[in-house]
Amino acid sequence: AVVSTQSTGEEEYVPDRKGLNYVCWVLIMKYNLWTGLYCLEPWERKLFNTLFFIVVSMSIYTCIVFMPGYISSSVAMTCVVLDKISNALLDAPLSEKLPFC
């Protein structure tokens, strides 16, 4: 549905309040409001969105590449610490009880 604003007379597209189009439209409007993009010109908006997409995609790539190594080393370190604690307190190594250590 096309709605005209009273103050400026410009027409704005607002989808009907049902379906996926409306949900996507609301999310885009919230993104524009939260980031302040509604104040920018179209070319500035495109530049900001491009830079934002690049930063987010590089962050996701970094998490995919490096997180498995960090997780495995932290699990190994936790197993070593727990094994030392169990040896000191219980006189039984934890590596015999836990299969992943």
Side-chain angles (χ1 to χ4, degrees):
V2 176
V3 177
S4 64
T5 58
Q6 295 177 358
S7 60
T8 60
E10 297 177 2
E11 293 184 347
E12 178 185 4
Y13 173 74
V14 178
D16 296 329
R17 291 186 175 236
K18 51 186 159 183
L20 190 59
N21 281 343
Y22 183 72
V23 172
C24 290
W25 181 79
V26 167
L27 291 175
I28 290 170
M29 290 297 123
K30 284 183 179 182
Y31 169 70
N32 286 333
L33 182 64
W34 291 338
T35 56
L37 290 177
Y38 64 93
C39 296
L40 301 177
E41 294 182 14
W43 70 271
E44 294 170 328
R45 219 177 279 165
K46 288 177 185 173
L47 179 67
F48 178 83
N49 286 332
T50 302
L51 293 175
F52 181 73
F53 176 74
I54 289 172
V55 168
V56 168
S57 60
M58 290 174 72
S59 299
I60 291 172
Y61 172 77
T62 302
C63 287
I64 290 172
V65 169
F66 293 111
M67 285 304 285
Y70 290 141
I71 291 171
S72 65
S73 66
S74 61
V75 167
M77 184 64 71
T78 304
C79 287
V80 168
V81 169
L82 290 178
D83 196 34
K84 288 182 180 180
I85 291 173
S86 68
N87 282 339
L89 296 177
L90 305 174
D91 294 330
L94 189 64
S95 56
E96 296 175 0
K97 298 176 184 175
L98 297 177
F100 56 84
C101 289

